[in-house]
Amino acid sequence: MPTLVVLAVLLAGLVVFANVWTDVQWYSQLKAAKVFWTQWGWAIALGTFGTLLVGLSAFVNHIVARTGEKTAVRKGIDQYRQQIEAHPWLARLFVPLALGIVFGAQLGSQWRTYVLWLHRTPFGQKDAEFGNDVSFYVFTLPVLQSLLALSVTLLAVGAVVAIVSHYLYGGISSDGSKVVLTSRVRVHFGVLGALAALVVAGFLWLRRYNMLLANNEKFSGASFTDINASLPGITILSLAAVLIAGLFVLAAVKGLWKFTVIGIAVTAVAGLVVTTAIPYFVQRFQVVPNAAEKESTFIQRNINATLAAYGLDNVKKSGYKAQTDAAAGQLRSDAETTAQIRVLDPNIISPTFTQLQRNRPYYSFDQQLSVDRYTIKDTPRDTVISVRELNLSGLSEGQRTWVNDHTVYTHGFGVVSAYGNTTTSDGEPSFFQQGIPSTGELGKYEPRVYFGKSSPDYSVVGAPKGTTPWELDYPTGGSKNGVKSTTYAGDGGPKIGNAFSKLMFAIKFRDTDLFFSDRVTKDSQILYDRDPRVRVSKVAPYLTLDSRVYPAVVDMDGNPKTPKRLVWILDGYTTTNQYPYSARQSLNEATVDAKSKGAGQYGESPEQVNYIRNSVKAVVDAYDGSVKLYQWDKKDPIVNAWSKVFPGTLTPMSKMSGDLMSHMRYPEDMFKVQRTLLSRYHVTNAKEFYSGGDFWDVPQEPTAPKGSTEDQPPYYLTLQMPGQDKAQFSLSTGFILGGADKQNVMTGFLAVDSEAGSEPGKVRKGYGQLRLIELPRDVTVPGPGQAENNFLTDSKVSTTLNLLKQGGTQVIMGNLLTLPIGGGLLYVQPVYVQASKTSGSTSYPIAQYVLTTFGKGSKIGFAPTLEESLNQTFGGDSGAQAGDANVSGHKEAPSADSNNKPKADPSASPSPSGSPSASPSSPSASPSGGGATPADELQSALSDAQKAMEESNSAMKEGNWSAYGEAQKKLQSALERAVKARRETEGGK
């Protein structure tokens, strides 16, 4: 048995050593070893300090209790005392050390608190009550609270040890029902009592400052009652606790315990009066009847602090008298914004990218594609982009071997990107970068993706020079086996070329094949922890990371002669929940919306924050996994403190290339937090804030299933806000009326300038500027929910979509975009269709129509292109040209078999095909029956449409695309006749 225990301990030690050693290699390869040693060094040092301190408390109290006592003979107790005396190391070393480990080692988990305090930097802002710099609350107050908590632990452990020791050595005894204490015991307990009273005084004194961090029913921070009733009482109690400490000393020296007991009792009663009774009466009879007036000073403090803490103190506000009537030429002054209106929904078209660009089943695209901007042929374009990542689950069961999983299928390949503001003539994405090898407008770049969001848990790469490559690079038709192979040439992971390294990593991954495989050579590297979020979180453990990671093809060095790099970009935040008077906000609650599918992204501490800054932009190379942390905010005191803790880990923003700078964008999650707060804190008058009569809500997602309460996500798009000089890449959201009934009337619109510019090392002036337009209260402007309802209840739209659904086609409503252009609010929504999923068929969404509406009561635009739809809404001529103005041809419903469907030319700007553009507003075919009533004609048209849908489905199954096209023409004609007939039956409405 002892042998098994020893072996188990040795095995556990080996596993721990292997994990630590491999972690050191991982950090060292990234040149971030100082991060590992700093955090573990501080954690171990503080844990050791806490252990020794608690152990010392136990030791001292035991020695004090043992020394000088005249031990009386007591039956049943002597044997324990004798055992202790026979083994002095047990009571003097083992027990104190064990208590120290149990109760003191946890101090190491607070290493962040102490190192931040040691490297603290001032905020330059003072709290409104005590005049302390905010840094006191963020850096110093947590340390003081931690030390007081440690003091409680020391006193509690010491008191327990003292009681036990005094009892064993006779200092505490019993005389019948009476407990007898020697004078030495009284002195000992008197000293402990005095120390405890001082600790209580410390807690009460710090409670004064914690008032400024409290949450009240209507606002955050100290209230009128807190400052005018509770604060004086707590101050008095703190001083009383110090006096009680003196009474304990007096009792210890003179034995006057009566005064100590009386002092404690009086203080306890006084505590109830000054902390409970008096505040209650002040609140009930002075504040409640006059709440708006009494609390206004403190509410204003809350408003000012919240705006400063969340970066909302420089929002440009303006009134916007939104027009509700549409007229011809109304978008002429917004031509730049109109040209970039996005018709591709990045949350819908991932299956389309997959079917058209995946190439092989072992590749995949992210479920939510990213929106970015690229300059194509000297013109800035909004784009939708995704990485073709490796997906091992796409391999068949027979292909899933250790060799394949870890040495052959090692990386993804390239990006696929499409213009956001147009499609091909058949509704598919208009790709400008595509294929394998990757070709298009982005130029030459390193396309191999060894580090990505869906990379395998680990891969072994690299081989001696001259070795036949065995890594699958990409599929090709120019080789015998249909693939091109490669050997990794980067520096992306720890070396694993010797037996010791192989053993350590085999233990770490619990994988014996890693040790015995011949494919692990002397030049091999092991790539693991490959998700960009994981890599950044390990290198910068102090950052709260944005839930979105987006790819970009970037010229990292500013040299056009060298290939570009494919990188992952993510935003890092520094946060705290210690900012005085600032409102606390749950990151999970603020960032969950319809796009995040209800999944909370922030499970780590702090759960709530009341200060946030986008202090770091992190860039992870997709080929070698290198991590660069660019300090984005030079003024943030928290990141400046961390830069001292981990010197040299942050790269100055001045070293960022111009091309990389052009792909920086305003972070989405931070914007969500800000919009959540602005729904209330756009009200900056304290009395109006208290009433809450002008609070707003974030609109709920209009396309969500019935009963869903998910918020509509913000959207990246190029737009020009009222008062802005020109259109800029922006992130925007709307606001509707607040209240329990959720009336979907637009009240405000928020956009932030997300264009960082393209100058190396310098952020463009205007980046990050928040603009809030407030709509007049006397004009009813439809919100997103009303706009969606207007779309779906329009006779033309409902008839067409219902017929599509009846014909075996699934209709998907795309993102509903809101744009403050044309002097009002324009709503744009793409409509996607896809074949219903049946056994053996392939289904993916195709952009079929675009819906538009402006203001209230304007004509609903419903056409295959945005250009046509806008013209319908604005009296035949919107005055501006949409991005898909050159798209023509008949958009067909999607095929059930993507492999047989003919593809349109995916050029940058699809050229006119010469055929007229199909539109629900185009002239309809003449009625088949000359004397038929409108009701008869409607029935006839619906019957013809049903027949045409059946012919289309039959043609798709047979692969007869000529017949399919003819059937689609019949369907279009029948739909137009049905729409016209329905209008006639409704009296020409």
Side-chain angles (χ1 to χ4, degrees):
M1 189 65 178
T3 303
L4 292 177
V5 172
V6 171
L7 289 176
V9 171
L10 290 176
L11 182 60
L14 181 61
V15 171
V16 171
F17 176 79
N19 279 280
V20 172
W21 187 87
T22 53
D23 272 356
V24 171
Q25 304 307 305
W26 188 92
Y27 279 98
S28 299
Q29 191 277 327
L30 276 176
K31 298 180 176 58
K34 67 177 67 175
V35 176
F36 177 87
W37 292 117
T38 297
Q39 58 183 325
W40 278 104
W42 273 104
I44 292 172
L46 284 172
T48 302
F49 176 73
T51 298
L52 294 177
L53 210 56
V54 173
L56 182 62
S57 175
F59 173 78
V60 169
N61 279 279
H62 171 69
I63 294 299
V64 169
R66 175 181 178 276
T67 306
E69 291 289 2
K70 295 181 179 179
T71 307
V73 177
R74 290 179 296 170
K75 187 177 181 181
I77 302 298
D78 290 352
Q79 57 179 334
Y80 296 110
R81 184 176 63 249
Q82 291 169 2
Q83 287 291 330
I84 292 174
E85 292 298 322
H87 305 89
W89 57 270
L90 185 66
R92 300 178 190 181
L93 179 63
F94 180 78
V95 172
L97 188 60
L99 290 172
I101 292 173
V102 173
F103 297 105
Q106 58 187 328
L107 186 66
S109 64
Q110 301 179 45
W111 68 271
R112 289 178 173 86
T113 301
Y114 287 90
V115 297
L116 270 183
W117 176 73
L118 289 173
H119 299 90
R120 62 193 180 278
T121 55
F123 273 68
Q125 298 167 323
K126 297 183 181 298
D127 78 79
E129 180 61 32
F130 300 108
N132 295 318
D133 189 89
V134 172
S135 61
F136 169 79
Y137 298 91
V138 174
F139 301 124
T140 305
L141 187 57
V143 170
L144 295 177
Q145 291 171 324
S146 175
L147 291 175
L148 286 176
L150 179 61
S151 300
V152 171
T153 301
L154 295 175
L155 289 170
V157 169
V160 171
V161 170
I163 292 172
V164 173
S165 298
H166 278 300
Y167 183 72
L168 289 173
Y169 287 92
I172 299 176
S173 59
S174 60
D175 184 8
S177 59
K178 184 179 179 182
V179 177
V180 179
L181 305 179
T182 65
S183 59
R184 186 177 186 83
V185 174
R186 293 191 183 97
V187 171
H188 192 172
F189 286 172
V191 172
L192 291 177
L195 293 175
L198 290 176
V199 171
V200 170
F203 273 115
L204 289 169
W205 192 259
L206 293 187
R207 185 176 169 186
R208 300 161 69 251
Y209 302 113
N210 282 321
M211 284 182 176
L212 275 59
L213 304 173
N215 274 332
N216 295 298
E217 183 180 355
K218 287 190 174 287
F219 62 95
S220 297
S223 65
F224 177 91
T225 301
D226 291 332
I227 297 301
N228 293 281
S230 298
L231 179 60
I234 292 173
T235 303
I236 293 172
L237 285 177
S238 180
L239 297 176
V242 174
L243 293 177
I244 290 175
L247 292 176
F248 268 110
V249 173
L250 183 64
V253 175
K254 299 292 185 179
L256 301 174
W257 287 92
K258 180 187 298 185
F259 294 107
T260 304
V261 174
I262 292 173
I264 294 174
V266 171
T267 302
V269 173
L272 291 174
V273 173
V274 300
T275 63
T276 304
I278 292 177
Y280 171 79
F281 286 110
V282 169
Q283 179 70 23
R284 179 65 185 85
F285 298 107
Q286 190 174 358
V287 175
V288 172
N290 310 284
E293 289 74 21
K294 293 295 184 182
E295 300 286 26
S296 60
T297 298
F298 306 98
I299 292 175
Q300 196 62 54
R301 292 178 178 181
N302 168 236
I303 292 172
N304 296 340
T306 300
L307 296 179
Y310 288 94
L312 297 172
D313 49 352
N314 192 33
V315 177
K316 288 187 177 181
K317 296 182 179 180
S318 61
Y320 187 60
K321 192 170 179 59
Q323 301 179 36
T324 56
D325 297 323
Q330 200 158 334
L331 300 184
R332 188 165 286 111
S333 60
D334 294 290
E336 193 175 0
T337 299
T338 305
Q340 290 283 16
I341 296 176
R342 182 165 45 78
V343 295
L344 280 190
D345 186 343
N347 302 308
I348 289 178
I349 60 170
S350 177
T352 308
F353 270 52
T354 298
Q355 289 300 321
L356 302 181
Q357 292 292 327
R358 179 171 59 175
N359 195 278
R360 291 294 186 274
Y362 46 80
Y363 292 130
S364 67
F365 294 97
D366 201 358
Q367 287 299 308
Q368 294 179 354
L369 310 189
S370 299
V371 177
D372 202 354
R373 66 271 189 226
Y374 287 86
T375 299
I376 308 297
K377 298 178 181 178
D378 299 325
T379 302
R381 301 290 297 268
D382 287 5
T383 64
V384 176
I385 187 171
S386 188
V387 174
R388 187 186 290 106
E389 291 200 66
L390 180 64
N391 179 20
L392 291 180
S393 62
L395 297 174
S396 66
E397 186 176 348
Q399 293 174 295
R400 297 300 302 273
T401 64
W402 185 90
V403 171
N404 280 344
D405 283 2
H406 298 291
T407 69
V408 176
Y409 295 93
T410 58
H411 60 278
F413 201 92
V415 300
V416 174
S417 190
Y419 295 109
N421 63 344
T422 189
T423 64
T424 63
S425 58
D426 60 358
E428 293 179 353
S430 177
F431 298 111
F432 66 87
Q433 189 74 30
Q434 60 182 319
I436 299 180
S438 185
T439 58
E441 301 290 342
L442 297 183
K444 186 177 180 181
Y445 71 97
E446 173 53 67
R448 295 167 183 85
V449 185
Y450 283 90
F451 295 86
K453 292 189 282 186
S454 65
S455 298
D457 54 351
Y458 75 87
S459 293
V460 178
V461 298
K465 189 175 181 180
T467 303
T468 301
W470 54 63
E471 289 182 56
L472 187 149
D473 198 15
Y474 59 85
T476 177
S479 60
K480 292 182 179 179
N481 58 359
V483 296
K484 179 177 174 58
S485 299
T486 188
T487 297
Y488 183 69
D491 181 14
K495 307 296 182 184
I496 191 174
N498 57 60
F500 179 76
S501 298
K502 288 195 288 184
L503 177 62
M504 292 296 99
F505 281 104
I507 293 173
K508 176 182 178 63
F509 289 105
R510 312 291 194 270
D511 194 336
T512 57
D513 292 331
L514 193 57
F515 183 79
F516 292 105
S517 176
D518 292 336
R519 292 212 169 179
V520 184
T521 69
K522 63 182 182 65
D523 292 325
S524 291
Q525 304 171 44
I526 184 167
L527 312 182
Y528 66 98
D529 285 342
R530 300 159 79 175
D531 188 311
R533 284 179 57 84
V534 172
R535 296 181 77 78
V536 174
S537 66
K538 292 182 69 172
V539 172
Y542 52 88
L543 291 178
T544 299
L545 299 180
D546 194 274
S547 58
R548 296 288 293 174
V549 182
Y550 63 98
V553 176
V554 173
D555 182 357
M556 290 292 291
D557 57 9
N559 184 357
K561 295 182 179 180
T562 58
K564 297 179 180 180
R565 306 292 293 188
L566 172 56
V567 299
W568 298 97
I569 302 174
L570 60 162
D571 291 278
Y573 307 119
T574 43
T575 63
T576 182
N577 58 0
Q578 293 286 122
Y579 197 102
Y581 272 107
S582 178
R584 281 188 170 89
Q585 179 62 55
S586 165
L587 292 179
N588 267 332
E589 292 178 3
T591 57
V592 167
D593 57 28
K595 187 166 66 174
S596 62
K597 304 302 181 186
Q601 303 289 334
Y602 299 95
E604 300 179 359
S605 177
E607 182 180 0
Q608 289 189 323
V609 302
N610 65 1
Y611 171 93
I612 186 170
R613 287 293 185 272
N614 178 208
S615 52
V616 172
K617 300 283 189 181
V619 179
V620 180
D621 192 286
Y623 184 73
D624 61 25
S626 58
V627 178
K628 278 197 174 183
L629 305 173
Y630 291 95
Q631 184 172 350
W632 191 251
D633 190 334
K634 297 179 182 179
K635 298 180 180 180
D636 174 43
I638 298 179
V639 78
N640 287 332
W642 281 116
S643 68
K644 297 175 185 177
V645 176
F646 301 116
T649 57
L650 293 178
T651 302
M653 185 177 59
S654 59
K655 294 187 178 181
M656 186 180 289
S657 71
D659 194 28
L660 179 59
M661 181 69 73
S662 70
H663 291 281
M664 296 295 112
R665 68 186 193 186
Y666 199 81
E668 190 171 340
D669 284 355
M670 182 169 172
F671 184 74
K672 291 179 183 179
V673 171
Q674 289 175 322
R675 74 168 178 176
T676 300
L677 288 158
L678 271 179
S679 66
R680 291 180 296 144
Y681 285 90
H682 69 277
V683 180
T684 55
N685 179 278
K687 292 183 179 179
E688 293 177 5
F689 187 94
Y690 182 86
S691 72
D694 194 30
F695 285 177
W696 300 339
D697 278 332
V698 175
Q700 294 178 1
E701 173 55 46
T703 64
K706 186 177 181 180
S708 172
T709 58
E710 297 170 334
D711 288 342
Q712 185 182 36
Y715 294 116
Y716 287 103
L717 67 163
T718 295
L719 62 83
Q720 183 175 358
M721 287 285 284
Q724 198 171 6
D725 295 335
K726 60 178 294 187
Q728 300 289 357
F729 189 67
S730 304
L731 183 59
S732 63
T733 188
F735 292 105
I736 60 173
L737 284 175
D741 60 349
K742 302 292 183 183
Q743 186 178 359
N744 211 279
V745 174
M746 206 72 163
T747 56
F749 185 85
L750 176 70
V752 62
D753 190 333
S754 189
E755 183 61 62
S758 57
E759 185 177 346
K762 186 176 181 181
V763 180
R764 171 187 149 270
K765 184 179 180 180
Y767 168 87
Q769 178 63 62
L770 290 153
R771 291 179 172 86
L772 177 65
I773 57 175
E774 299 186 37
L775 278 63
R777 305 299 187 264
D778 58 347
V779 177
T780 300
V781 180
Q786 288 190 13
E788 182 75 5
N789 182 74
N790 293 339
F791 283 150
L792 297 180
T793 56
D794 180 81
S795 59
K796 177 174 62 176
V797 177
S798 62
T799 299
T800 303
L801 298 187
N802 285 333
L803 285 170
L804 286 172
K805 295 174 184 177
Q806 292 173 13
T809 302
Q810 183 182 358
V811 177
I812 305 173
M813 307 302 291
N815 46 209
L816 180 60
L817 303 179
T818 308
L819 299 100
I821 60 176
L825 290 178
L826 172 69
Y827 288 100
V828 177
Q829 184 175 36
V831 180
Y832 292 82
V833 296
Q834 69 180 26
S836 297
K837 293 184 179 180
T838 57
S839 178
S841 68
T842 299
S843 177
Y844 60 93
I846 296 295
Q848 186 81 351
Y849 297 106
V850 181
L851 286 160
T852 58
T853 186
F854 182 86
K856 184 178 181 182
S858 66
K859 180 179 174 63
I860 301 294
F862 184 49
T865 65
L866 176 60
E867 173 76 7
E868 295 175 78
S869 187
L870 288 174
N871 287 337
Q872 291 176 15
T873 295
F874 291 96
D877 178 17
S878 68
Q881 192 175 66
D884 61 357
N886 293 326
V887 175
S888 63
H890 183 75
K891 285 187 178 179
E892 300 175 350
S895 165
D897 188 350
S898 62
N899 295 324
N900 294 329
K901 182 176 178 179
K903 299 292 185 292
D905 178 21
S907 59
S909 297
S911 58
S913 63
S915 59
S917 176
S919 166
S921 62
S922 59
S924 61
S926 60
S928 57
T933 65
D936 293 336
E937 173 57 23
L938 176 60
Q939 186 62 38
S940 174
L942 293 176
S943 178
D944 291 345
Q946 182 65 36
K947 183 178 179 181
M949 287 300 300
E950 293 173 356
E951 292 177 358
S952 295
N953 291 335
S954 298
M956 279 195 297
K957 293 176 181 178
E958 296 171 1
N960 188 340
W961 302 112
S962 175
Y964 177 79
E966 290 298 322
Q968 285 291 301
K969 290 179 182 179
K970 293 179 183 178
L971 174 61
Q972 185 66 35
S973 176
L975 290 175
E976 291 165 358
R977 288 164 47 210
V979 170
K980 182 179 179 181
R982 181 168 178 174
R983 286 178 177 172
E984 291 177 356
T985 61
E986 295 174 350
K989 292 181 181 179

